[in-house]
Amino acid sequence: MAISATKPGLRPANPRFSSGPCAKRPGWALSALEGAMLGRSHRAGGPKARLKEVIDRSRAVLGLPDNWRLGIVPASDTGAVEMALWSLLGARGVDVLAWESFSKDWATDVLKQLKLKDARVLEAPYGRLPDLKAVDWSHDVVFVWNGTTSGVRLPGADWIPAGREGLAICDATSAAFAMDLPYDKLDVVTWSWQKVLGGEAAHGMLALSPRAVARLESHTPAWPLPKIFRMTKGGKLNEGIFKGETINTPSMLCVEDALDGLRWAEGVGGLPGLVRRSEANLAAVAAWVERTPAVAFLAEDARTRSCTSICLKLVAPWFTALDAEGQAAAAKSLAGLLEKEGVALDIGAYRDAPPGLRIWGGATVETSDIEALLPWLHWALAQAEAQHASPKAAE
């Protein structure tokens, strides 16, 4: 790559490419929160109606089946996933699919915290998926739909049988609202407000199929359940959770922001419109990668490339010639250059992932901002090469 000190002229209008919390929807302003029911009890009629509105609008945009329950739960997607694991597991064996950081966290929960004996972890390195054919569907199966830290997503649900015995427990935090989810092949789906719709942190969403509800009502876990995980009373589902009666106190400011994001989603065409926006962002990056030999997708199979957490690795000879410490330093300085210029904030690879870049391409990100960013990546790569390449590699 030719070294150039010339900076591109066009800058992204919004330089926020963080993978969570993510960019607010286009045109967002603080005035969007003016109707927030602050200083009110979340148990009162008005605030509770707002909470139920989040549930109802989310259900409608996502096309959630009528017989599924959907509730707002504490502690973001992490809370939603762990609420499901602690409440549902233990009735049968468990398979956990792990191919990035968060799925490895769920494996840790199953093996080291819940200490389930009949449990397997089917693992793959960054950039790949585990062997989906090896899954034992007499077990419950825990997996992410989209690897937020690896940029690797499932290419579909053909590997999930309709007549499965176990539950399909899916962490969809960076997939919901940007990818079509096959609810007929899933039993538990979780996400948070802070990803594709650009909401604020600390609130999770938990969707349960009738099969998951039946498990809750027939299975008592062998371990204690914290209050914020309890979804049943007297062996029956606590239906209030799925009508806006949250287990603990939610932020009504965040609720108002979530509603603003959902209204925007409806205005851009609902789920099909959101998917189109995210896929357009992936397409723009893919076209650039195709003509840029210094970089490649971390996802090795094009069918598994994420359209939200778009993860890139550096493959230029000067970079691959560096040792692990040198590669980490070069990637960090690359992201730092872009942040210093104010053209891309928070796009370094996740701390556990291979050194590289992670560009959020969710629906709130304008494709025009992605396109404006790409020449800056060329410039920053050139600067990083000049700073970090060894004299021998530069020959």
Side-chain angles (χ1 to χ4, degrees):
M1 178 181 292
I3 303 299
S4 173
T6 304
K7 297 176 182 178
L10 183 66
R11 293 171 177 267
N14 185 353
R16 294 169 179 83
F17 297 101
S18 164
S19 290
C22 302
K24 310 299 288 181
R25 54 96 173 159
W28 185 91
L30 279 173
S31 58
L33 307 180
E34 287 178 355
M37 292 193 171
L38 305 183
R40 295 288 309 281
S41 167
H42 61 294
R43 306 289 184 195
K48 191 161 69 172
R50 284 282 215 282
L51 289 159
K52 188 174 184 300
E53 186 180 351
V54 171
I55 293 171
D56 292 344
R57 287 182 182 270
S58 298
R59 175 188 290 280
V61 172
L62 292 172
L64 203 66
D66 291 341
N67 61 352
W68 279 52
R69 275 36 170 237
L70 177 60
I72 299 167
V73 301
S76 192
D77 178 67
T78 300
V81 173
E82 295 190 324
M83 192 173 186
L85 300 186
W86 259 251
S87 301
L88 293 164
L89 297 185
R92 57 178 62 236
V94 184
D95 281 6
V96 184
L97 308 186
W99 67 87
E100 49 87 58
S101 300
F102 293 104
S103 50
K104 291 179 181 178
D105 287 340
W106 312 146
T108 297
D109 279 353
V110 168
L111 295 179
K112 296 184 179 180
Q113 301 301 320
L114 295 175
K115 302 182 187 300
L116 294 176
K117 301 301 182 185
D118 187 9
R120 303 189 305 163
V121 178
L122 282 64
E123 195 166 355
Y126 276 89
R128 302 179 193 171
L129 287 171
D131 181 3
L132 301 178
K133 295 179 181 178
V135 173
D136 180 354
W137 280 104
S138 70
H139 287 181
D140 294 327
V141 182
V142 179
F143 55 95
V144 300
W145 192 268
N146 180 80
T148 307
T149 67
S150 70
V152 175
R153 62 171 160 178
L154 291 167
D158 291 345
W159 60 285
I160 304 175
R164 61 193 174 278
E165 298 175 50
L167 298 178
I169 301 174
C170 176
D171 171 359
T173 192
S174 56
F177 296 101
M179 304 172 195
D180 282 308
L181 297 173
Y183 298 109
D184 61 322
K185 296 292 188 76
L186 304 174
D187 295 293
V188 177
V189 180
T190 68
W191 64 91
S192 67
W193 297 349
Q194 69 221 45
K195 295 294 187 185
V196 177
L197 295 188
E200 294 305 301
H203 300 77
M205 300 292 285
L206 175 65
L208 303 173
S209 75
R211 296 180 76 240
V213 172
R215 172 70 66 80
L216 283 171
E217 293 184 337
S218 64
H219 168 65
T220 301
W223 42 81
L225 283 180
K227 175 184 176 181
I228 60 170
F229 285 0
R230 296 174 202 156
M231 290 185 277
T232 59
K233 288 183 178 179
K236 292 295 183 183
L237 189 71
N238 180 358
E239 296 283 2
I241 295 171
F242 307 95
K243 297 176 181 178
E245 298 172 12
T246 55
I247 293 174
N248 71 335
T249 305
S251 163
M252 296 310 297
L253 195 66
C254 292
V255 167
E256 200 66 27
D257 189 58
L259 286 171
D260 176 73
L262 286 162
R263 295 186 191 106
W264 171 79
E266 294 161 358
V268 298
L271 183 61
L274 297 169
V275 171
R276 283 194 298 271
R277 290 177 64 88
S278 294
E279 292 290 352
N281 290 336
L282 172 60
V285 175
W288 177 76
V289 170
E290 184 69 25
R291 61 179 185 269
T292 307
V295 297
F297 283 96
L298 188 54
E300 296 178 3
D301 184 342
R303 299 174 306 152
T304 69
R305 292 174 185 165
S306 171
C307 63
T308 55
S309 50
I310 304 171
C311 296
L312 304 177
K313 58 184 178 180
L314 307 181
V315 295
W318 69 266
F319 182 83
T320 57
L322 300 173
D323 59 19
E325 185 177 345
Q327 290 184 2
K332 183 176 181 180
S333 70
L334 177 63
L337 281 167
L338 295 164
E339 182 160 349
K340 184 177 180 180
E341 290 294 332
V343 295
L345 306 177
D346 310 316
I347 69 165
Y350 191 73
R351 60 181 178 267
D352 295 335
L357 298 173
R358 182 171 59 151
I359 304 167
W360 183 253
T364 58
V365 175
E366 299 277 30
T367 302
S368 58
D369 283 335
I370 295 278
E371 292 170 338
L373 168 66
L374 298 173
W376 283 95
L377 297 186
H378 263 301
W379 172 82
L381 283 164
Q383 307 311 307
E385 179 181 358
Q387 181 180 350
H388 292 277
S390 68
K392 185 176 181 181
E395 292 177 359

